[in-house]
Amino acid sequence: MCGIVGIVSDEVKTADIIDSLKKLEYRGYDSSGIAFVRGGKIEVYKSVGKIEVLKNSIKDLLEKKIEVGIAHTRWATHGQPNDVNAHPHTDCTGKIAVVHNGIIENFRELRSMLEALGHKFKSDTDTEVIAHLIEEEYSGDLFDAVMKAIRKLDGAYAIGVIHSNHPDIIIAARKGSPLVIGLRDDMSILASDVTPIIRYTKDVIFLEDGDVAFLKKGRVEVYRANGEKIDRKVQHIDWDELAAEKGGYDHFMMKEIMEEPMVISSAITGRVKAGKVDIPEVREIDFSKIRRINLVACGTSYHAALFFKYFVEFHTDLDVLVEVSSEFRYRKPHVDKDTLTIAISQSGETADTLESIRLAKRLGSSIITITNVVGSTITRESDVSIMMNSGPEIGVAATKTYVAQLTVLLLLGLEIIQQRGFWAGRHEKIFDTLLRLPEVFSSILDFSDKIKEIAKEFKGYDHFMYIGRGYGYPTALEGALKLKEISYIHAEGYPAGELKHGPIALLDENFPVFAIVPQDSLYQKMRSNVMECKARNAKIIALTTSENSDISSIADIILEVPRVPEELYPLVMSPIIQLFAYHVAVLKGHDPDKPRNLAKSVTVE
Ligand code: M6R
């Protein structure tokens, strides 16, 4: 996820800004840049690659004093990672510099409008429109210009702005992306999180959505977008740097699970227009002409693909085939020009998935990739790439990226349903609920402590059976994968109807069952399967829908999610299975961020 820093002080040097930026490296990035005012002029330096490259390119400037500076680590969303697309971005006069985290949804419209007014753009980014908009609104008051400019922005942003005419201020604004301000008598510092701030001060203000802040040396004022001044509480934080990187959590995995509400919003941002799904990346694809869809993926991404099969087959006339990439690439698949292949890979580098799309391409199929990494190898070999926009995931186990994959796949599925003429009231409902899910997720995440208590009770078992049917099946597979990969407990994921064809022989009081049993169209079938497990003395954890007293009389433990259309249960149930695995792993003394024998990106066969 992009990172922002900014410092205004009489005593700041270029090196201070670069060192502060380095504290944000852990968030992941592909390029970095700095802009500062020195001698009444803005200077901008940007480089693709590590901050060290940027630092080396300005070695002679590091000890020079500056008046005010902003800097940025970029995680590409619009435009390739390169020097030009790196932030900060400037206006036509070169007097304004902007750093930005988030996505400006209406940047295409704004760019056309600004170009028609004569503005010249240098990059492919959505961010550059902000610099030109501020230029357009500026008539001597930077704060006023930023206020007017942000009213024209749709989407999510955290921005920091400097102007060479105002070498003693930074203007910052937040909507949907975090920003924190550190306060000290002789300086003010702005950052995406507290990590760069705590070496200077532990007194901070967390900006809220809709806030615009005016930073001077030792003075910060916060306003709402309507111009009303507001008193934001100054909080004293006691974190050290490592705790700060993890947002105060013990592990990145937990931090990333807690980011899921934001991840859903980011995956939706820019993909809804006039109350309908509108994914700009696939506008050129005519889904009504496709005869079959073929998905390739591995691990967690495969489970997301499986969900998509159920969703699209159920709601359209299309056949959707899903295959683990390592099998697909060695088969003789029946793929041709009428087949659309969708590759799902958070890293965009998984060797087997890459080879699978190469094979599908050779057979004439067009390729859509759903990934989290702009410019990754798979994106370069695909016809179209849809970004998950989750920000980098540091924990090896996929958590927030699974949630992002499911969100993007739901949107894509709805787009296909729309185009093939199957759209009905049910899809309206799925779509409306999907847009509300960030709120729903926040309430589910509040159950973490309860899940920890349950984990204490179950951490001693050596085996686990996860079962589900229909939309619950991919959730069962993912629950078992999460548990086994970070806690090293043997866990199987099974379609519940298959139990009596063999695996039920395993069940006894030492082999608990984690049943995915929402009140959906297969509820009664699942209920019978849970009864069968109960009859073998297996302890039952039932993940069900709220106020389901029916299952609570059978199961030993009940975990609940709110009622939503059944197509959304795989999404709303994800944080529960992830939190359960997390707590079991931590209680067993394992580091969930670095499970043994696993790599974040599997670039070999
Ligand atoms: O980067 P990808 O999504 O292609 O990775 C696929 C799998 O390697 C990945 O999901 C893996 O199973 C994770 N360990 C799951 O937590």
PDB file of all heavy atoms in Angstrom, residues 40-59:
ATOM      1  N   GLY A  40      12.929  28.754  -2.424  1.00  0.00           N
ATOM      2  CA  GLY A  40      11.718  29.260  -3.100  1.00  0.00           C
ATOM      3  C   GLY A  40      11.264  28.422  -4.286  1.00  0.00           C
ATOM      4  O   GLY A  40      10.352  28.812  -5.022  1.00  0.00           O
ATOM      5  N   LYS A  41      11.904  27.275  -4.505  1.00  0.00           N
ATOM      6  CA  LYS A  41      11.526  26.422  -5.650  1.00  0.00           C
ATOM      7  C   LYS A  41      11.233  24.998  -5.199  1.00  0.00           C
ATOM      8  O   LYS A  41      11.844  24.515  -4.256  1.00  0.00           O
ATOM      9  CB  LYS A  41      12.679  26.358  -6.649  1.00  0.00           C
ATOM     10  CG  LYS A  41      12.906  27.617  -7.427  1.00  0.00           C
ATOM     11  CD  LYS A  41      13.490  27.230  -8.805  1.00  0.00           C
ATOM     12  CE  LYS A  41      13.455  28.374  -9.787  1.00  0.00           C
ATOM     13  NZ  LYS A  41      14.537  29.347  -9.575  1.00  0.00           N
ATOM     14  N   ILE A  42      10.316  24.349  -5.956  1.00  0.00           N
ATOM     15  CA  ILE A  42      10.054  22.929  -5.698  1.00  0.00           C
ATOM     16  C   ILE A  42      11.094  22.096  -6.444  1.00  0.00           C
ATOM     17  O   ILE A  42      11.358  22.345  -7.627  1.00  0.00           O
ATOM     18  CB  ILE A  42       8.652  22.521  -6.213  1.00  0.00           C
ATOM     19  CG1 ILE A  42       7.541  23.205  -5.427  1.00  0.00           C
ATOM     20  CG2 ILE A  42       8.499  21.012  -6.254  1.00  0.00           C
ATOM     21  CD1 ILE A  42       6.787  22.352  -4.449  1.00  0.00           C
ATOM     22  N   GLU A  43      11.670  21.126  -5.764  1.00  0.00           N
ATOM     23  CA  GLU A  43      12.534  20.148  -6.453  1.00  0.00           C
ATOM     24  C   GLU A  43      11.907  18.776  -6.264  1.00  0.00           C
ATOM     25  O   GLU A  43      11.436  18.459  -5.163  1.00  0.00           O
ATOM     26  CB  GLU A  43      13.947  20.147  -5.851  1.00  0.00           C
ATOM     27  CG  GLU A  43      14.681  21.449  -6.089  1.00  0.00           C
ATOM     28  CD  GLU A  43      16.077  21.452  -5.456  1.00  0.00           C
ATOM     29  OE1 GLU A  43      16.761  20.393  -5.475  1.00  0.00           O
ATOM     30  OE2 GLU A  43      16.467  22.507  -4.933  1.00  0.00           O
ATOM     31  N   VAL A  44      11.898  17.978  -7.332  1.00  0.00           N
ATOM     32  CA  VAL A  44      11.274  16.645  -7.265  1.00  0.00           C
ATOM     33  C   VAL A  44      12.278  15.600  -7.744  1.00  0.00           C
ATOM     34  O   VAL A  44      12.912  15.784  -8.786  1.00  0.00           O
ATOM     35  CB  VAL A  44      10.012  16.575  -8.164  1.00  0.00           C
ATOM     36  CG1 VAL A  44       9.356  15.206  -8.051  1.00  0.00           C
ATOM     37  CG2 VAL A  44       9.014  17.657  -7.810  1.00  0.00           C
ATOM     38  N   TYR A  45      12.407  14.498  -6.997  1.00  0.00           N
ATOM     39  CA  TYR A  45      13.281  13.387  -7.396  1.00  0.00           C
ATOM     40  C   TYR A  45      12.502  12.098  -7.221  1.00  0.00           C
ATOM     41  O   TYR A  45      11.885  11.891  -6.168  1.00  0.00           O
ATOM     42  CB  TYR A  45      14.550  13.367  -6.536  1.00  0.00           C
ATOM     43  CG  TYR A  45      15.328  14.657  -6.662  1.00  0.00           C
ATOM     44  CD1 TYR A  45      15.088  15.715  -5.774  1.00  0.00           C
ATOM     45  CD2 TYR A  45      16.251  14.837  -7.685  1.00  0.00           C
ATOM     46  CE1 TYR A  45      15.760  16.919  -5.907  1.00  0.00           C
ATOM     47  CE2 TYR A  45      16.937  16.045  -7.822  1.00  0.00           C
ATOM     48  CZ  TYR A  45      16.683  17.079  -6.929  1.00  0.00           C
ATOM     49  OH  TYR A  45      17.347  18.278  -7.066  1.00  0.00           O
ATOM     50  N   LYS A  46      12.538  11.226  -8.263  1.00  0.00           N
ATOM     51  CA  LYS A  46      11.743   9.997  -8.203  1.00  0.00           C
ATOM     52  C   LYS A  46      12.534   8.839  -8.825  1.00  0.00           C
ATOM     53  O   LYS A  46      13.284   9.052  -9.774  1.00  0.00           O
ATOM     54  CB  LYS A  46      10.443  10.159  -9.009  1.00  0.00           C
ATOM     55  CG  LYS A  46       9.717  11.470  -8.746  1.00  0.00           C
ATOM     56  CD  LYS A  46       8.297  11.428  -9.200  1.00  0.00           C
ATOM     57  CE  LYS A  46       8.097  11.848 -10.638  1.00  0.00           C
ATOM     58  NZ  LYS A  46       6.657  12.041 -10.925  1.00  0.00           N
ATOM     59  N   SER A  47      12.329   7.656  -8.279  1.00  0.00           N
ATOM     60  CA  SER A  47      13.013   6.477  -8.849  1.00  0.00           C
ATOM     61  C   SER A  47      12.167   5.235  -8.702  1.00  0.00           C
ATOM     62  O   SER A  47      11.576   5.023  -7.640  1.00  0.00           O
ATOM     63  CB  SER A  47      14.290   6.145  -8.087  1.00  0.00           C
ATOM     64  OG  SER A  47      15.191   7.142  -8.176  1.00  0.00           O
ATOM     65  N   VAL A  48      12.190   4.411  -9.731  1.00  0.00           N
ATOM     66  CA  VAL A  48      11.591   3.094  -9.589  1.00  0.00           C
ATOM     67  C   VAL A  48      12.541   2.247  -8.754  1.00  0.00           C
ATOM     68  O   VAL A  48      13.740   2.482  -8.731  1.00  0.00           O
ATOM     69  CB  VAL A  48      11.300   2.488 -10.993  1.00  0.00           C
ATOM     70  CG1 VAL A  48      12.579   2.045 -11.676  1.00  0.00           C
ATOM     71  CG2 VAL A  48      10.295   1.371 -10.936  1.00  0.00           C
ATOM     72  N   GLY A  49      12.009   1.299  -8.002  1.00  0.00           N
ATOM     73  CA  GLY A  49      12.861   0.425  -7.179  1.00  0.00           C
ATOM     74  C   GLY A  49      12.916   0.901  -5.740  1.00  0.00           C
ATOM     75  O   GLY A  49      12.039   1.624  -5.271  1.00  0.00           O
ATOM     76  N   LYS A  50      13.949   0.458  -5.054  1.00  0.00           N
ATOM     77  CA  LYS A  50      14.066   0.694  -3.616  1.00  0.00           C
ATOM     78  C   LYS A  50      14.351   2.167  -3.275  1.00  0.00           C
ATOM     79  O   LYS A  50      14.931   2.893  -4.081  1.00  0.00           O
ATOM     80  CB  LYS A  50      15.207  -0.164  -3.051  1.00  0.00           C
ATOM     81  CG  LYS A  50      14.912  -1.633  -3.105  1.00  0.00           C
ATOM     82  CD  LYS A  50      13.916  -1.991  -2.030  1.00  0.00           C
ATOM     83  CE  LYS A  50      13.235  -3.301  -2.276  1.00  0.00           C
ATOM     84  NZ  LYS A  50      11.957  -3.468  -1.648  1.00  0.00           N
ATOM     85  N   ILE A  51      14.019   2.540  -2.053  1.00  0.00           N
ATOM     86  CA  ILE A  51      14.282   3.916  -1.597  1.00  0.00           C
ATOM     87  C   ILE A  51      15.786   4.198  -1.643  1.00  0.00           C
ATOM     88  O   ILE A  51      16.223   5.319  -1.881  1.00  0.00           O
ATOM     89  CB  ILE A  51      13.740   4.118  -0.155  1.00  0.00           C
ATOM     90  CG1 ILE A  51      12.220   3.961  -0.151  1.00  0.00           C
ATOM     91  CG2 ILE A  51      14.126   5.486   0.392  1.00  0.00           C
ATOM     92  CD1 ILE A  51      11.581   4.026   1.230  1.00  0.00           C
ATOM     93  N   GLU A  52      16.578   3.130  -1.465  1.00  0.00           N
ATOM     94  CA  GLU A  52      18.030   3.284  -1.508  1.00  0.00           C
ATOM     95  C   GLU A  52      18.465   3.870  -2.869  1.00  0.00           C
ATOM     96  O   GLU A  52      19.409   4.660  -2.937  1.00  0.00           O
ATOM     97  CB  GLU A  52      18.654   1.901  -1.277  1.00  0.00           C
ATOM     98  CG  GLU A  52      19.953   1.851  -0.534  1.00  0.00           C
ATOM     99  CD  GLU A  52      20.069   2.730   0.701  1.00  0.00           C
ATOM    100  OE1 GLU A  52      19.124   2.783   1.514  1.00  0.00           O
ATOM    101  OE2 GLU A  52      21.131   3.376   0.848  1.00  0.00           O
ATOM    102  N   VAL A  53      17.766   3.486  -3.928  1.00  0.00           N
ATOM    103  CA  VAL A  53      18.102   4.001  -5.273  1.00  0.00           C
ATOM    104  C   VAL A  53      17.843   5.505  -5.302  1.00  0.00           C
ATOM    105  O   VAL A  53      18.662   6.309  -5.785  1.00  0.00           O
ATOM    106  CB  VAL A  53      17.239   3.287  -6.359  1.00  0.00           C
ATOM    107  CG1 VAL A  53      17.560   3.820  -7.747  1.00  0.00           C
ATOM    108  CG2 VAL A  53      17.403   1.783  -6.283  1.00  0.00           C
ATOM    109  N   LEU A  54      16.695   5.891  -4.737  1.00  0.00           N
ATOM    110  CA  LEU A  54      16.349   7.320  -4.677  1.00  0.00           C
ATOM    111  C   LEU A  54      17.397   8.061  -3.842  1.00  0.00           C
ATOM    112  O   LEU A  54      17.902   9.120  -4.234  1.00  0.00           O
ATOM    113  CB  LEU A  54      14.958   7.462  -4.049  1.00  0.00           C
ATOM    114  CG  LEU A  54      14.476   8.879  -3.766  1.00  0.00           C
ATOM    115  CD1 LEU A  54      14.156   9.609  -5.071  1.00  0.00           C
ATOM    116  CD2 LEU A  54      13.229   8.872  -2.879  1.00  0.00           C
ATOM    117  N   LYS A  55      17.733   7.465  -2.711  1.00  0.00           N
ATOM    118  CA  LYS A  55      18.687   8.103  -1.787  1.00  0.00           C
ATOM    119  C   LYS A  55      20.042   8.324  -2.474  1.00  0.00           C
ATOM    120  O   LYS A  55      20.631   9.399  -2.392  1.00  0.00           O
ATOM    121  CB  LYS A  55      18.835   7.199  -0.547  1.00  0.00           C
ATOM    122  CG  LYS A  55      19.534   7.850   0.593  1.00  0.00           C
ATOM    123  CD  LYS A  55      19.461   6.966   1.827  1.00  0.00           C
ATOM    124  CE  LYS A  55      20.313   7.568   2.945  1.00  0.00           C
ATOM    125  NZ  LYS A  55      20.299   6.745   4.142  1.00  0.00           N
ATOM    126  N   ASN A  56      20.493   7.286  -3.204  1.00  0.00           N
ATOM    127  CA  ASN A  56      21.779   7.416  -3.902  1.00  0.00           C
ATOM    128  C   ASN A  56      21.744   8.493  -4.971  1.00  0.00           C
ATOM    129  O   ASN A  56      22.733   9.156  -5.220  1.00  0.00           O
ATOM    130  CB  ASN A  56      22.161   6.086  -4.563  1.00  0.00           C
ATOM    131  CG  ASN A  56      22.727   5.142  -3.529  1.00  0.00           C
ATOM    132  OD1 ASN A  56      23.265   5.592  -2.515  1.00  0.00           O
ATOM    133  ND2 ASN A  56      22.579   3.846  -3.767  1.00  0.00           N
ATOM    134  N   SER A  57      20.552   8.651  -5.587  1.00  0.00           N
ATOM    135  CA  SER A  57      20.464   9.630  -6.681  1.00  0.00           C
ATOM    136  C   SER A  57      20.500  11.069  -6.156  1.00  0.00           C
ATOM    137  O   SER A  57      20.691  11.998  -6.915  1.00  0.00           O
ATOM    138  CB  SER A  57      19.202   9.389  -7.510  1.00  0.00           C
ATOM    139  OG  SER A  57      18.062   9.806  -6.770  1.00  0.00           O
ATOM    140  N   ILE A  58      20.282  11.237  -4.824  1.00  0.00           N
ATOM    141  CA  ILE A  58      20.315  12.610  -4.287  1.00  0.00           C
ATOM    142  C   ILE A  58      21.341  12.726  -3.143  1.00  0.00           C
ATOM    143  O   ILE A  58      21.172  13.542  -2.243  1.00  0.00           O
ATOM    144  CB  ILE A  58      18.903  13.063  -3.814  1.00  0.00           C
ATOM    145  CG1 ILE A  58      18.306  12.078  -2.787  1.00  0.00           C
ATOM    146  CG2 ILE A  58      17.953  13.254  -4.969  1.00  0.00           C
ATOM    147  CD1 ILE A  58      17.074  12.611  -2.076  1.00  0.00           C
ATOM    148  N   LYS A  59      22.402  11.916  -3.239  1.00  0.00           N
ATOM    149  CA  LYS A  59      23.423  11.875  -2.168  1.00  0.00           C
ATOM    150  C   LYS A  59      23.904  13.263  -1.750  1.00  0.00           C
ATOM    151  O   LYS A  59      24.052  13.559  -0.587  1.00  0.00           O
ATOM    152  CB  LYS A  59      24.692  11.136  -2.592  1.00  0.00           C
ATOM    153  CG  LYS A  59      24.652   9.800  -3.036  1.00  0.00           C
ATOM    154  CD  LYS A  59      26.012   9.090  -2.821  1.00  0.00           C
ATOM    155  CE  LYS A  59      26.885   9.109  -4.045  1.00  0.00           C
ATOM    156  NZ  LYS A  59      26.322   8.400  -5.191  1.00  0.00           N
TER     157      LYS A  59
END
